[in-house]
Amino acid sequence: MKSFTILLVILIGMNVSVAQEVDSTALLFDDSIVHEFNIVFYYPDWEDSLTYWYEHGEEYIPARIEYAGLVFDSVGVRYKGNSSYTMARRTPKKPLKFKFDEYRSKQECFDVEKLNFSNATKDPTFLREKLCYDILRTRTHAPRAAWAAIHVDGALLGLYTMVEQVDKKFLKRHFADNDFNLYKSADDGATLEYLGSSGDDYKREFELKTNEDEDDWSRFVQMVQVLNQAPDATFRTLAGAWIDFKSAVMMLAFNMVMGNFDSYTGSGRNFYIYDDQEGGQFTFIPWDINEGFGAYSNNWNVFTQDVLNVSNLQRRPLNRRIVSDELLRADYLRAIAELVGSAAHEDSIAAHIARFTPLIDPWVRADQYKLYTYQNFLDNIHSDVVIGINMSVPGLTRFSQTRNAALRTQLQNYAALSADDIPKAAALTADVYPNPVTSTSTLVYFLPAAGSVRCVVYDALGRAVRRIDAASQEPGMHQYSMDMTDLSPGVHFYHLFHTDGSGNVAQTTGRITVLH
């Protein structure tokens, strides 16, 4: 299969010195190809059935799925989404979800039970969701994404963005224990305001996605109460025992940098919270970011929105209390500066657009049910386009250039930084997720220019236990999966070196905590 061949070539090219276990999910989310799925429904009126069950409880209907030479029988298929479904009512190309174990217990596709397929609503470029998730994954827990061509009985239904499901499989990859409660903001949004002492008080704003039978919301209620009621003087200490501020700050910073306002920052929608009792804190996981790059305006000034003066702070206690606390506010502004200087830098975004556009272009041309024209696809990469009834969607490069310029000015004013302190050129960055790690972890790094890469992982005694060498890599984001099961528990350190074409060497370091 092509995916396996590509992975083997990558591994050989990386010249890995330590044998590693292949993460089969990495094959499924390989973004160097457009993945092809063929759906064979068991009866001809599949569109009517999907529509009926979308409107009556979002139930699945059975189908056979063919992918990469494999056949998965009795897979659950259903429509999904809210506005992405509504805006596609006149076309067969509605957003989809596959559930491989809906009718066959323990059936999986490359170690995945569910897959989501977005239909590029309000995104003529087909790039927004993939680029946004890639940016998030350089800094925090977030799903993976790639592109998929969906066929029905061999006929192309369209090009989709395939997104990893946030579920127990996802949690297992990112956290030491995946047995705790996972919450998702409801379709009408969630504020995280304190609504009462009973879990029932929060069920109109959140859905419990795991441990539903136990239905224990007690820790969630305590977290929300502390978030809202802890005194200002002790807020950081008290709330820090309950909330993973690193993930919260990064989610809010990302929303501001990428104009992602169909989120907690704006609509209150599209995020998960995991009660990571092993780590001791509630962790925030962004979701459904197809309207990044300013595609969701809803009266927000997506180009110049101030990062501290936000109109709805009284209804967003997480945002309000972070920007009201001196140290947390500094973390928030620093996170914005780091994004603007690396993964969200306009040069980085342009490099990824240049990488991915040729890959998806033929599929966009062939997609007869796409929601926008092929010319919209070409134009919206750089320029604003009007869709629907006077709905303007910002061009990707115009948005990143304009928004970043506004953010650099704000950062100078708010953080009392000099112009030299605000990164205008992309910088070498690296991080590891999940961290702590129990089995496999992924090194994610951003290269500001083409060149060679060397990364060494050391144990606490200074012994090299992992080494990665790549003679030549293009600028942009890269990732590499590392099996850590044979390493001793404790703190390890990675040291990443990048040498560009002029011989200039940049380096960055970090730590990895191994748990067994």
Side-chain angles (χ1 to χ4, degrees), residues 460-475:
L461 299 178
R463 297 173 298 194
V465 294
R466 291 287 183 275
R467 182 186 178 95
I468 302 169
D469 288 289
S472 177
Q473 289 193 323
E474 294 299 312

Side-chain angles (χ1 to χ4, degrees), residues 139 257 334-348 404 407-408 411 421-429 446 448:
R139 288 292 186 274
V257 172
R334 190 178 303 112
I336 291 173
E338 289 175 352
L339 286 171
V340 170
S342 57
H345 189 278
E346 51 266 39
D347 291 346
S348 169
N404 285 356
L407 290 171
R408 291 183 178 110
L411 289 169
D421 293 326
I422 307 300
K424 292 186 174 56
L428 174 71
T429 59
F446 172 82

Side-chain angles (χ1 to χ4, degrees), residues 188-244:
D188 291 333
T191 65
L192 283 173
E193 294 173 292
Y194 183 69
L195 303 175
S197 59
S198 169
D200 292 338
D201 297 325
Y202 300 88
K203 290 182 179 179
R204 69 175 181 268
E205 289 199 351
F206 288 92
E207 301 173 62
L208 180 60
K209 308 299 287 188
T210 58
N211 305 314
E212 296 96 322
D213 291 341
E214 290 85 349
D215 197 33
D216 182 1
W217 291 65
S218 57
R219 281 179 49 85
F220 183 89
V221 172
Q222 292 178 67
M223 179 272 291
V224 174
Q225 184 172 17
V226 171
L227 170 64
N228 284 268
Q229 298 179 0
D232 290 344
T234 55
F235 169 74
R236 198 180 333 110
T237 300
L238 294 177
W242 287 92
I243 297 171
D244 173 22

Side-chain angles (χ1 to χ4, degrees), residues 117-133:
F117 298 91
S118 302
N119 61 348
T121 300
K122 295 180 69 174
D123 180 20
T125 72
F126 286 80
L127 292 164
R128 278 177 161 78
E129 194 160 21
K130 166 64 175 168
L131 294 179
C132 282
Y133 276 127

